[in-house]
C-alpha cells in the first residue's frame, strides 16, 4: 500500500534537450530533486545545464532554487515540463583584455569599485563598459552578494534616496526581460516598503538569476540596465569618495618609503615572502624592486578583497 501511495505522489517530468524529450519520474517535488533528476537523465558532456519553464504568459523563465516556488505554483499537478540547454561558456578569456588582471585594465578589484572609480576619473564611462564588467564578473557578484546580504541592507538604510533612485531605474530597465520578472517584482515590493526591507535578498536573487543566464542574455540585459543606471550611479560618488579616503591596510607597511599604513592599493610581491609597495612606489618598481611580479591587494569593499 505504501509503495502504491509513494508512486501516486511521484510526478512525471519531461525534459526537452537538443530536440529530444526525456521522460522520467520525479520522486520528490523540490529543487534538489529536479536538478539531480535532470542531471541523471540528460546525456550531456558540457557539465552545467540551464533549465527553463514556460510561465502562464508563455515566456521561458529560468528555473533555479530562487524561482522554484513560482514553477511549483504554475504546475500544482500533472506532468512537469522543462527545457534544458548547455550553459554557454563565459566570455572570460575570450579577449586579451579579459585575460588581464583588472588593475592593468584600469579598474579596482571588482566591478562595483571599478565602475565608481572609472566615473571618478572621467564622466565618459559608457554603458557598454559597465555591461562588460557586469557580465565578466557575474559569477563573482552572485557569490559576493549572497555573503553580504546584511551589508547590502545596511547600505540601503544609510542611503535610502540613492537606493530608491537605483531601484526605480532597475525596475524600469528589467521590464522587457521575462527571465528576471521575479526580480523585478521583488524590487517593486522593496520600493513599497518605507525601510526598503528585503533589498539584500532581492539583490542576491537577481545576481544569482543573472549568473545563470547565457552570455548573450546577460549582455542584452546588462547593456539595457547600464543605460538606465548610469545617470543614477554618480549619486553614490560622495559616499564612495569618503570610503576611498578611509581605505587603508592597517597591518601593511611600504618596504620602500615605509609608509605605514598603506592607503589605497597595496602591491604585494608574488615572489617574496613579505614585500609590499604603496601605489607611488609601485610606479617606480623598476628601480626599487626590479624583475619581480606584483599583485594588487585592495582594501575591503563589502568583503571584496584582492588576493
Amino acid at each position: 500500500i505504501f509503495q502504491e501511495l509513494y508512486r501516486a505522489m511521484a510526478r512525471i517530468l519531461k525534459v526537452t534537450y537538443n530536440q529530444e524529450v526525456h521522460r522520467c519520474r520525479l520522486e520528490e517535488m523540490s529543487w534538489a530533486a529536479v536538478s539531480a533528476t535532470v542531471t541523471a537523465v540528460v546525456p550531456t558532456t558540457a557539465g552545467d545545464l540551464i533549465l527553463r519553464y514556460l510561465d502562464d504568459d508563455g515566456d521561458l523563465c529560468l528555473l533555479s532554487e530562487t524561482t522554484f516556488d513560482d514553477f511549483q505554483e504554475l504546475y500544482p499537478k500533472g506532468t512537469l515540463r522543462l527545457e534544458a540547454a548547455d550553459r554557454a561558456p563565459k566570455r572570460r578569456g575570450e579577449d586579451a583584455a579579459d585575460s588581464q588582471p583588472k588593475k592593468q585594465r584600469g579598474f579596482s578589484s571588482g566591478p562595483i569599485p571599478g565602475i565608481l572609480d572609472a566615473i571618478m576619473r572621467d564622466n565618459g564611462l559608457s554603458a557598454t563598459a559597465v555591461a562588460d564588467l557586469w557580465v565578466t564578473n557575474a559569477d563573482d557578484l552572485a557569490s559576493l552578494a549572497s555573503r553580504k546580504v546584511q551589508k547590502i541592507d545596511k547600505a540601503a538604510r544609510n542611503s535610502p534616496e540613492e537606493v530608491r533612485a537605483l531601484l526605480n531605474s532597475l525596475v524600469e530597465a528589467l521590464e522587457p526581460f521575462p527571465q528576471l520578472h521575479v526580480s523585478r517584482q521583488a524590487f517593486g515590493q522593496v520600493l513599497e516598503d518605507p525601510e526598503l526591507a528585503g533589498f539584500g535578498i532581492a539583490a542576491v536573487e537577481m545576481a544569482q538569476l543573472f549568473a545563470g543566464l547565457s552570455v548573450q542574455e546577460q549582455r542584452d540585459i546588462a547593456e539595457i540596465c547600464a543605460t538606465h543606471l548610469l545617470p543614477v550611479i554618480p549619486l553614490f560618488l560622495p559616499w564612495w569618495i569618503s570610503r576611498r579616503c578611509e581605505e587603508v591596510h592597517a597591518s601593511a607597511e611600504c618596504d620602500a618609503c615605509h609608509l605605514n599604513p598603506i592607503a589605497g592599493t597595496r602591491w604585494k610581491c608574488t615572489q617574496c615572502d613579505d614585500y609590499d609597495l604603496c601605489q607611488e612606489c609601485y610606479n617606480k618598481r623598476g628601480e626599487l624592486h626590479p624583475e619581480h611580479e606584483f599583485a594588487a591587494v585592495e582594501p575591503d569593499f563589502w568583503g571584496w578583497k584582492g588576493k
Side-chain angles (χ1 to χ4, degrees), residues 16-293:
T16 302
Y17 175 74
N18 285 347
Q19 299 182 337
E20 294 182 351
V21 178
H22 301 268
R23 188 178 188 274
C24 55
R25 185 179 295 274
L26 183 66
E27 306 296 351
E28 177 189 339
M29 191 60 176
S30 68
W31 162 247
V34 169
S35 180
T37 302
V38 172
T39 301
V41 301
V42 173
T44 176
T45 58
D48 204 7
L49 288 171
I50 295 174
L51 302 179
R52 294 189 177 92
Y53 63 96
L54 279 175
D55 67 6
D56 45 13
D57 293 322
D59 295 318
L60 270 177
C61 301
L62 179 73
L63 180 64
S64 68
E65 187 171 5
T66 304
T67 61
F68 188 80
D69 287 344
D70 178 62
F71 171 67
Q72 191 170 7
E73 288 178 6
L74 287 170
Y75 296 91
K77 59 183 180 179
T79 301
L80 303 168
R81 290 178 172 82
L82 291 173
E83 291 192 11
D86 296 319
R87 187 184 297 276
K90 294 293 182 185
R91 66 185 299 275
R92 294 183 184 89
E94 288 182 357
D95 329 289
D98 281 337
S99 63
Q100 297 177 8
K102 295 182 184 71
K103 197 67 185 181
Q104 293 181 15
R105 291 160 56 192
F107 295 110
S108 303
S109 180
I112 300 174
I115 291 169
L116 293 170
D117 280 348
I119 292 176
M120 282 174 59
R121 288 196 303 270
D122 101 60
N123 292 324
L125 185 67
S126 68
T128 300
V130 173
D132 283 344
L133 275 172
W134 190 357
V135 172
T136 302
N137 294 277
D139 292 337
D140 292 335
L141 271 173
S143 176
L144 172 67
S146 65
R147 300 193 308 270
K148 300 297 175 182
V149 175
Q150 292 182 348
K151 288 194 175 184
I152 296 173
D153 282 332
K154 182 179 179 180
R157 291 193 299 269
N158 292 340
S159 305
E161 293 183 8
E162 292 84 351
V163 171
R164 284 189 179 279
L166 183 143
L167 286 176
N168 279 316
S169 295
L170 198 53
V171 167
E172 182 180 352
L174 291 177
E175 185 176 4
F177 303 108
Q179 306 97 314
L180 296 179
H181 79 282
V182 173
S183 294
R184 185 169 183 265
Q185 291 175 352
F187 288 140
Q189 292 173 356
V190 172
L191 281 168
E192 293 175 0
D193 189 280
E195 304 296 326
L196 296 173
F199 176 50
I201 292 295
V204 170
E205 290 177 345
M206 177 176 170
Q208 292 175 341
L209 288 173
F210 183 84
L213 299 175
S214 69
V215 173
Q216 186 57 55
E217 287 176 308
Q218 289 180 352
R219 182 162 297 284
D220 292 342
I221 293 170
E223 289 188 356
I224 295 297
C225 287
T227 301
H228 282 75
L229 294 177
L230 268 181
V232 178
I233 292 174
L235 296 176
F236 293 87
L237 284 183
W239 166 81
W240 179 240
I241 291 170
S242 67
R243 283 294 303 270
R244 274 305 199 198
C245 293
E246 296 171 358
E247 287 176 334
V248 295
H249 300 266
S251 60
E253 175 181 319
C254 178
D255 288 288
C257 70
H258 303 292
L259 174 67
N260 189 352
I262 294 176
T265 303
R266 170 166 65 103
W267 291 92
K268 183 176 180 61
C269 180
T270 60
Q271 295 165 253
C272 299
D273 290 337
D274 184 16
Y275 190 91
D276 300 293
L277 293 178
C278 65
Q279 182 64 56
E280 185 173 349
C281 291
Y282 173 77
N283 294 336
K284 299 181 288 185
R285 63 191 180 281
E287 306 170 14
L288 299 172
H289 205 62
E291 300 180 4
H292 279 218
E293 297 294 325

